[in-house]
Every structure is written in C-alpha cells, then in structure tokens.
Amino acid sequence: MQIIEIVPDGPSDKSGKVFVGDIIESIDGLIIQGLGLNEVLGHLVGRSGSQVSIGLLRNGETVTVRLIRSPSALVPLRNASTNSEYKVPPDTLGRRDAAEPSTPAAANG
C-alpha cells in the first residue's frame, strides 16, 4: 500500500517521518504483502494513544517509523498492485463495504 496523502494533524503529519509516495511494507513487524485493504487498515488503526511501528519503503530503502495513533478523518492509501486509491473513515473498519475505491486524486508534488 502506498501513501497518497498525509492527513493534516494526523499521526503521520505530526511525526514528520512519513511522506507521500512511501510504501507500507510492514505494520508492527507483520509483512503486509498479500493482505487485503481491510486487513491492512485493521493493523494500522487502533486505540487512540497506542503506538504502531510501520516499515516503509522509500527510495529503495526500508525505514521504520513509530507513530502514536489518534482519530483522523480518513486513511488515504493506494493499492500498488491494482493502482486503486482508497480514502477510508477509520470508524468503518471491519465492514466489508468500507473499502470502496475513490476516484483518483490529483498527484501531490
């Protein structure tokens, strides 16, 4: 899954360590390759204030970032294998109909 947008004031924005274009490789040590969108989001989103460790592929290198979870309006991701973009409200996680593709967003520079 590729980061397509950083939510203002969200955990990624506050950390300053996650960038548009980063590809999520792992969450808390779990390799996410082959997992569905709802599974990935289920690992990303958690109790507000809890920590999550994310392995990101950036410029051919893997970096690990620790974030403090907080409620946010949307979780924006792109499925690299299908090139589908998603913006999912965290409170819909677990619903099979929650992860509907959005229309492609304008590229962020």
Side-chain angles (χ1 to χ4, degrees):
M1 296 285 167
Q2 184 178 37
I3 306 294
I4 60 170
E5 182 180 343
I6 302 296
V7 177
D9 294 322
S12 296
D13 185 36
K14 289 177 181 177
S15 78
K17 297 178 182 178
V18 179
F19 302 98
V20 170
D22 286 351
I23 297 173
I24 301 172
E25 290 189 316
S26 64
I27 303 167
D28 285 334
L30 173 71
I31 303 299
I32 66 160
Q33 184 176 358
L35 296 182
L37 179 66
N38 281 333
E39 292 174 285
V40 171
L41 292 173
H43 291 285
L44 277 177
V45 178
R47 184 178 45 82
S48 184
S50 64
Q51 292 188 13
V52 62
S53 178
I54 301 174
L56 301 169
L57 180 63
R58 179 183 307 143
N59 299 323
E61 295 185 27
T62 300
V63 296
T64 302
V65 176
R66 239 175 158 37
L67 302 176
I68 305 296
R69 292 178 173 115
S70 68
S72 58
L74 296 174
V75 178
L77 297 170
R78 174 184 290 128
N79 184 324
S81 62
T82 64
N83 208 32
S84 299
E85 294 182 358
Y86 301 89
K87 291 188 178 184
V88 183
D91 62 353
T92 63
L93 292 176
R95 286 185 16 210
R96 296 225 177 252
D97 63 340
E100 294 298 322
S102 67
T103 56
N108 293 327

